[in-house]
Amino acid sequence: MNNCTLFGEDYSYLVPLLLYKNENGHVHSRFSNGFNIKMGDSLVFIGNNKNGLLPFGIHLRKEATLSAVSSVNNGDSVTWNRRTNSIELPGVTISIEKGNSFKNELTTLKSATIFKDSFERFCLQLNEIEDQTGLDASFKEFLNKFHAAGEQKWLGTEPYLIMLIEAAMSSDEGLIEKVLRYFLGRGQGLTPSGDDMIVGLLAFDAVSHFLSTAFYEKVSELIEGESITTDVAREYLRYALKQEYSSNVSDMVNALASGDASNFEKILDDLLGVGHSSGLDTVLGILIGMLVYRNLRIRTETN
């Protein structure tokens, strides 16, 4: 019997439709700041907004999150009650009846001048970061090599980052598949570093539109057709392919696309603070996206 009802403060506008389609499921994964439930083939996150407002999230206050997490176990049965707009588990009920629906909107890159200013601002900030990404890449070293004249000795993951830039500039399905197979599922944790990076790349494309249809189709084909990565990473990628992102990611690419520098450092810090290295890896993906966009502009201007 349920021992208490907790109320979600905010929920993604996409969640109710998903729950109406899949009314029964189970607790998939549980951690300190919340838990995922699996409904059909989809995940819903229930927990705090420490990592931003998620496109598949129901967000609770801090105290309610602690209570919810302590009341569930992996594998617990989950039922959506459409009459009461609530998710029923053996130890707790989560209601969205009083919550606010949200959508993390995206803007569009305004101009070449804004891109140039945002790119310079972004690179200046990234040069200050000492931490390595989850793929052991250094922002400073990679940017220095990328901008230096002449041939470079690319080390570790760097040759694959260069290959990703080439793949993102093309419609070559073989090249795209090769580089995606390298990154998808690569790294530790619920969302491996390579997947977080691809999410970041897709996020910058969502505001600037440079990737080929072939790139999107190949990501979808790999994550849906194979067990190439984790369930949680696949969920983030599924939403990214529909241009739906966490508020931390959308705030970052919106700031870059609009040229709004007022909260730039805080927005970047908020994203960098996500997970053990998820934020760093996502930021690397956004940087790759900006480098691709810059290269394509240079190519267009010189032809």
Side-chain angles (χ1 to χ4, degrees), residues 232-291:
V232 180
R234 184 171 70 239
E235 204 69 16
Y236 277 104
L237 284 162
R238 280 174 170 169
Y239 281 92
L241 291 172
K242 295 183 284 190
Q243 303 198 330
E244 298 280 354
Y245 298 91
S246 72
S247 57
N248 284 350
V249 174
S250 54
D251 286 350
M252 185 73 259
V253 293
N254 283 345
L256 292 167
S258 66
D260 183 1
S262 56
N263 288 315
F264 193 85
E265 286 185 37
K266 182 186 184 304
I267 288 168
L268 179 57
D269 284 345
D270 285 347
L271 179 52
L272 289 170
V274 172
H276 177 64
S277 71
S278 284
L280 283 159
D281 297 318
T282 306
V283 166
L284 178 59
I286 293 171
L287 173 63
I288 295 298
M290 296 191 86
L291 291 171

Side-chain angles (χ1 to χ4, degrees), residues 211-227:
L211 287 173
S212 65
T213 304
F215 196 96
Y216 274 78
E217 288 175 349
K218 190 56 71 175
V219 174
S220 179
E221 181 186 312
L222 290 173
I223 64 170
E224 300 298 348
E226 303 180 21
S227 299

Side-chain angles (χ1 to χ4, degrees), residues 2-4 6 27 30 35 64-74 76-77 89-94:
N2 294 332
N3 55 18
C4 73
L6 301 171
V27 176
R30 172 178 171 269
F35 59 96
T65 297
L66 292 171
S67 179
V69 169
S70 66
S71 302
V72 303
N73 295 293
N74 287 345
D76 279 355
S77 62
L89 298 102
V92 68
T93 293
I94 310 292

Side-chain angles (χ1 to χ4, degrees), residues 18-296:
L18 188 155
L19 292 170
Y20 275 99
K21 283 183 181 175
N22 305 285
E23 296 191 340
N24 297 292
H26 65 274
V27 176
H28 174 274
S29 40
R30 172 178 171 269
F31 20 88
S32 60
N33 66 322
F35 59 96
N36 289 311
I37 58 174
K38 189 161 189 175
M39 309 297 277
D41 192 38
S42 300
L43 296 181
V44 175
F45 172 78
I46 300 170
N48 64 30
N49 61 4
K50 178 171 172 270
N51 293 332
L53 299 175
L54 306 188
F56 53 99
I58 297 172
H59 295 286
L60 312 172
R61 288 188 178 181
K62 186 179 178 182
E63 298 76 14
T65 297
L66 292 171
S67 179
V69 169
S70 66
S71 302
V72 303
N73 295 293
N74 287 345
D76 279 355
S77 62
V78 179
T79 304
W80 167 247
N81 186 328
R82 61 172 66 199
R83 184 178 57 81
T84 60
N85 281 331
S86 58
I87 295 165
E88 297 174 350
L89 298 102
V92 68
T93 293
I94 310 292
S95 171
I96 62 171
E97 190 69 34
K98 298 177 182 176
N100 299 307
S101 169
F102 67 84
K103 174 175 170 52
N104 297 323
E105 300 282 358
L106 291 169
T107 188
T108 301
L109 182 60
K110 297 290 186 286
S111 69
T113 304
I114 283 175
F115 172 79
K116 184 174 179 291
D117 292 344
S118 290
F119 180 69
E120 288 174 1
R121 188 180 303 116
F122 197 50
C123 289
L124 278 172
Q125 292 291 321
L126 298 189
N127 270 314
E128 300 298 314
I129 297 171
E130 297 296 335
D131 296 333
Q132 301 272 96
T133 71
L135 296 168
D136 290 329
S138 159
F139 288 108
K140 188 184 292 184
E141 285 178 27
F142 182 72
L143 282 168
N144 284 344
K145 284 184 184 179
F146 194 87
H147 291 313
E151 289 292 316
Q152 296 300 323
K153 188 177 181 182
W154 300 106
L155 303 170
T157 311
E158 292 172 346
Y160 291 93
L161 295 176
I162 297 301
M163 193 190 300
L164 177 59
I165 291 171
E166 290 171 6
M169 291 174 67
S170 79
S171 299
D172 182 335
E173 289 186 23
L175 178 61
I176 292 168
E177 179 169 345
K178 182 179 179 182
V179 75
L180 286 175
R181 284 192 181 280
Y182 177 83
F183 285 113
L184 294 176
R186 182 169 293 273
Q188 304 298 312
L190 283 171
T191 57
S193 296
D195 301 76
D196 288 326
M197 195 187 66
I198 298 300
V199 167
L201 170 62
L202 292 168
F204 191 70
D205 178 69
V207 298
S208 55
H209 315 297
F210 58 84
L211 287 173
S212 65
T213 304
F215 196 96
Y216 274 78
E217 288 175 349
K218 190 56 71 175
V219 174
S220 179
E221 181 186 312
L222 290 173
I223 64 170
E224 300 298 348
E226 303 180 21
S227 299
I228 197 166
T229 190
T230 65
D231 288 349
V232 180
R234 184 171 70 239
E235 204 69 16
Y236 277 104
L237 284 162
R238 280 174 170 169
Y239 281 92
L241 291 172
K242 295 183 284 190
Q243 303 198 330
E244 298 280 354
Y245 298 91
S246 72
S247 57
N248 284 350
V249 174
S250 54
D251 286 350
M252 185 73 259
V253 293
N254 283 345
L256 292 167
S258 66
D260 183 1
S262 56
N263 288 315
F264 193 85
E265 286 185 37
K266 182 186 184 304
I267 288 168
L268 179 57
D269 284 345
D270 285 347
L271 179 52
L272 289 170
V274 172
H276 177 64
S277 71
S278 284
L280 283 159
D281 297 318
T282 306
V283 166
L284 178 59
I286 293 171
L287 173 63
I288 295 298
M290 296 191 86
L291 291 171
V292 173
Y293 184 83
R294 180 173 170 272
N295 281 3
L296 288 170

